[in-house]
Amino acid sequence: MYKIAVLASGNGSNLEAILEAIESGRIQNARVTIVISDQEKAYALTRAQKHRIPSAVFRKAEYPSRESYDRALINYLQAKQIDLVVLAGFMRLVTPDFVAAFPNRIMNIHPSLLPAFPGRRGVADALAYGVKVTGCTVHFVDEGMDTGPIILQKALAVREDDTVASLQERIHRLEHVLYPKAIDLWVRGKIKIEGRRCYLEPEETGLA
Ligand code: GRF
């Protein structure tokens, strides 16, 4: 049974989608054993509680540096024997030490088709740029900002009357399908990484 830690700073709708996928058996052989937030008021923590999943808060203010924060987090996750770290709206850039502690075992979801529109304002930036197609990306985390090997992407069309909120809402719905799917692939050992490319078995990509 793989142990997953989900790190979330906000609403936690992706956390919810992952928990539902586990509870309904769409992801087997894995459990979310801890939810961690840097924000004590994060709704993600309430969601964890509702699903009876333990949670912990790591407050930024309690650590003198990003490095010491991540060191504490690494120790905590290692003590809990976490196999996979899932960033779900965790609004902190992790340090190289953190990446090295969990090589190819940290995933993130980003609300654009990377490498377009990385960073915190992915949806707004895509809309402002005027792209006709955007979407979301699940990727492994490396030292860069939204730069790691891509696992899955899904596209959607931008509508003429889209606002940041309406576009974000449709992207969220895509994310809730894509993230559990990527985690399931990882749990079943279906992702092979070479350099920055992730190879999935053809039947897993829907392209077979
Ligand atoms: C998602 O849009 C994700 O792409 C981004 O942060 C947002 C988190 O949303 N990294 P939620 O907290 O899972 O609802």
Side-chain angles (χ1 to χ4, degrees), residues 10 14 47 54 78 89 95 100 115 117 122 133-134 136 147 151 158 161 178 188-189 196 202 206:
N14 280 285
R47 294 185 195 266
Q78 285 178 340
T95 55
F117 311 115
V133 174
T134 185
C136 59
T147 52
I151 304 167
V158 178
D161 61 351
L178 212 64
R188 290 190 294 121
R196 57 160 300 110

Side-chain angles (χ1 to χ4, degrees), residues 165-185:
S166 67
L167 186 54
Q168 193 147 20
E169 197 203 309
R170 291 207 309 292
I171 290 176
H172 257 121
R173 276 189 252 135
L174 275 190
E175 290 184 343
H176 299 160
V177 176
L178 212 64
Y179 218 174
K181 200 169 165 188
I183 292 168
D184 174 57
L185 289 173

Side-chain angles (χ1 to χ4, degrees), residues 1-2 28 34 36 79 87 90 95-97 99 111 124-125 129 142 155 159 181 183 189 198 205:
M1 183 71 66
Y2 287 110
Q28 294 184 0
I34 186 81
I36 292 173
L87 308 184
F90 190 60
T95 55
D97 275 358
V99 175
D125 288 348
Y129 194 92
D142 66 7
R159 294 178 187 157
K181 200 169 165 188
I183 292 168
C198 290
T205 62

Side-chain angles (χ1 to χ4, degrees), residues 8-16 44 47 87-91 108-112 123 136-137 168 171-172 175-176:
S9 301
N11 179 20
S13 67
N14 280 285
L15 165 68
E16 186 83 41
R47 294 185 195 266
L87 308 184
F90 190 60
M91 302 313 272
N108 184 41
I109 189 151
H110 182 77
S112 76
V123 179
C136 59
T137 304
Q168 193 147 20
I171 290 176
H172 257 121
E175 290 184 343
H176 299 160

